[in-house]
Amino acid sequence: MEKMTPKFWVITLMIFGAAFVRLIPHPPNFAPIAAMALFGGAYFSKKWAAFLVPIAAMIITDLILGFHETMWAVYLSFALIVVIGMLMLKQIKISNLFFASVISSVSFFIVTNFGAWLSSPFYAKTGAGLAACYTAAIPFFHQTLLSDLFFVGILFGAYHLIKAKYPVLAESKF
């Protein structure tokens, strides 16, 4: 069995800390969902941990917040964002973080609103219905984008500062 390193526990605690931000009052669509997935994808070297830890944090908070009929789309987009973190953030630098955040926001918008269109009786199952669904969601997108940029900055910035203070985290693998 693999030994859980200090790096594993710090990253895990940071992801769970971010997840619990979802439980305190916040503006609509302003939550650290994409940031948690990007962070896990970027920093866990074990793929199972990159997916399992952020998804477990989401499930625990969703047990408190409640589930809805399009949760499958939320979790699908969440898993996609973990992959974006794995691929785009092999080298952590501000430009990569910015582009990964924007791509995550856009992919979350596309996948979750497609799920809403499929699941909702309010939209015709036609191209026009799909366009209407996406159009109705546009006013919420700016909050998602701002949230993703904000929380990615917080998580990645905090971890960078922690690694500077505790170099063992930069050296250990997990």
Side-chain angles (χ1 to χ4, degrees), residues 19-149:
F20 283 99
V21 167
R22 300 177 66 214
L23 303 177
I24 60 176
H26 58 274
N29 289 32
F30 200 88
I33 294 173
M36 294 164 32
L38 282 173
F39 189 70
Y43 281 115
F44 282 123
S45 57
K46 305 288 185 200
K47 286 183 178 37
W48 67 264
F51 286 96
L52 181 65
V53 171
I55 288 172
M58 280 283 290
I59 289 171
I60 290 168
T61 54
D62 282 334
L63 286 169
I64 297 165
L65 294 170
F67 292 90
H68 52 78
E69 62 187 18
T70 58
M71 290 306 290
W72 64 269
V74 172
Y75 281 88
L76 176 64
S77 64
F78 193 74
L80 175 62
I81 295 168
V82 170
V83 173
I84 292 168
M86 290 174 171
L87 298 175
M88 291 191 71
L89 298 175
K90 289 182 183 193
Q91 185 179 28
I92 307 294
K93 55 186 188 178
I94 291 174
S95 60
N96 290 1
L97 289 171
F98 176 79
F99 288 116
S101 295
V102 171
I103 290 169
S104 296
S105 298
V106 171
S107 65
F108 187 84
F109 178 87
I110 290 169
V111 172
T112 58
N113 287 297
F114 183 79
W117 171 73
L118 278 179
S119 302
S120 174
F122 300 117
Y123 299 106
K125 303 306 178 247
T126 63
L130 180 59
C133 182
Y134 282 121
T135 301
I138 289 171
F140 302 98
F141 179 72
H142 75 282
Q143 284 292 96
T144 300
L145 180 60
L146 292 174
S147 171
D148 292 344
L149 292 168

Side-chain angles (χ1 to χ4, degrees), residues 4-24:
M4 303 302 179
T5 64
K7 178 180 180 178
F8 171 83
W9 290 113
V10 168
I11 294 168
T12 298
L13 287 172
M14 290 181 71
I15 289 171
F16 272 82
F20 283 99
V21 167
R22 300 177 66 214
L23 303 177
I24 60 176

